[in-house]
Amino acid sequence: MVEGDGCHRIAAQHRKQLVGRKLAARSPNGRFRAGAQAIVKCGGVLLKIEVHGKNMFYFFGAEGSQAPSVVVHVHFGLAGAFAVYKEEPEAGSSIRLRLETADSKAPHLVAHLSAMVVKHGKPESLYTALVAKLGADPLREDADPESFVSACAAAKKPVGTVLMDQSVCAGVGNIYRTEILYEAAIHPNQPANTLTRAEVLKLWNTAVKQMQAGYKSGSIWGTKAGSFCYDKKQSACGGKVKHWKMGGRSVYACQKRQRLEARKAPKESKAPSLRRSGTLHVDGVVSAVKAENKKRAHRRGLGVQHVALKDDETRAAALAARVRKRPSKR
């Protein structure tokens, strides 16, 4: 699954490479033909990119215009990729949208998109309507943690369920759910409305911290060698880990650190200072190829931490890794 930090990494790179460029568009596999035609018809200039959680929005319009007339919505789902190349490889059968720079600026670039959801429409009907259904995104500068606090206070459901609800907290996926709850020392089954304001804000701060680390490093573990608790039998603190299904996905909890408490109502405590959300202040962002190479070196599965940001360097590194894996002929 491509989680929110992965989408924000793609957007940051594409803002540097593609925003302001006039782009020709077509659909190699034919599954986004109408959308590609709409991009060309409106003028084909990529005006801006917005990300809300796991949802990416590319706004197109006429040259010299500030008002986009077409928006393309991308949701990767479990897999997919959005690659920008200087040296274009052959477009595979999964490529739904191909973009190519069609202006006099350098460099000449080609982008390939494969994703579970690729839709197009008018900004006011597609973008505005969809974003209205999404919760606060820890990696957006305009994130409102109070909406997260209010949603938790109103929810009788387990906090593990609430944290994965994209209408409450946009961008958090299954791995982040386990890791955030572990670091915040909150049991996934704890009813959300029994948490104190301080606990909910601690949960929010932890989500911001971990997802910013993921954005910076290109790894869902951030700078850690591996997970705290996810997919483990023993957690980072040495406690025994239990796992079960929650909302159809496996959730993990440390029996030592995360205790399920019987509460009727939350007891108030001093709330922590809010951590700054967003990514604009995050320095030292690791490139896609360095992030992938580090995962290979540590034998971390690229499938578990699916990387959707691709370019010439990641392609070359992947090809080199395949060559190294081939058995030598005797």
Side-chain angles (χ1 to χ4, degrees), residues 52-72:
H52 292 265
K54 304 175 187 180
N55 300 274
M56 304 186 70
F57 301 90
Y58 286 65
F59 294 82
F60 295 88
E63 193 166 358
S65 173
Q66 297 298 316
S69 54
V70 172
V71 61
V72 174

Side-chain angles (χ1 to χ4, degrees), residues 176 210 213-214 217 219-225 294 300 305:
Y176 271 125
Q210 288 196 15
S217 67
S219 168
I220 205 165
W221 311 137
T223 57
K224 307 192 303 291
K294 185 176 180 180
R300 298 177 188 169
Q305 300 182 55

Side-chain angles (χ1 to χ4, degrees), residues 30 45 62 68 70 79 170-171 183 215 247 273 281 293 295 297 329:
V45 177
V70 172
E183 187 173 349
Y215 170 83
S273 299
H281 62 291
N293 283 339
K295 290 172 189 175
K329 294 181 180 180

Side-chain angles (χ1 to χ4, degrees), residues 218-238:
S219 168
I220 205 165
W221 311 137
T223 57
K224 307 192 303 291
S227 69
F228 284 134
C229 187
Y230 181 82
D231 199 26
K232 285 191 170 182
K233 293 182 179 180
Q234 184 174 302
S235 72
C237 69

Side-chain angles (χ1 to χ4, degrees), residues 164-186:
M164 281 274 283
D165 185 342
Q166 298 301 297
S167 69
V168 175
C169 189
V172 173
N174 193 43
I175 297 176
Y176 271 125
R177 168 173 66 179
T178 288
E179 296 294 281
I180 290 167
L181 287 168
Y182 172 84
E183 187 173 349
I186 297 172

Side-chain angles (χ1 to χ4, degrees), residues 145-146 149 196-206 271-272 274:
E146 288 302 325
V149 172
T196 66
R197 176 180 174 82
E199 287 173 321
V200 175
L201 289 178
K202 182 181 180 182
L203 199 60
W204 172 261
N205 280 347
T206 305
L274 282 172

Side-chain angles (χ1 to χ4, degrees), residues 127-140:
Y127 174 73
T128 305
L130 200 156
V131 169
K133 299 176 183 178
L134 296 172
D137 178 348
L139 293 183
R140 281 188 64 88

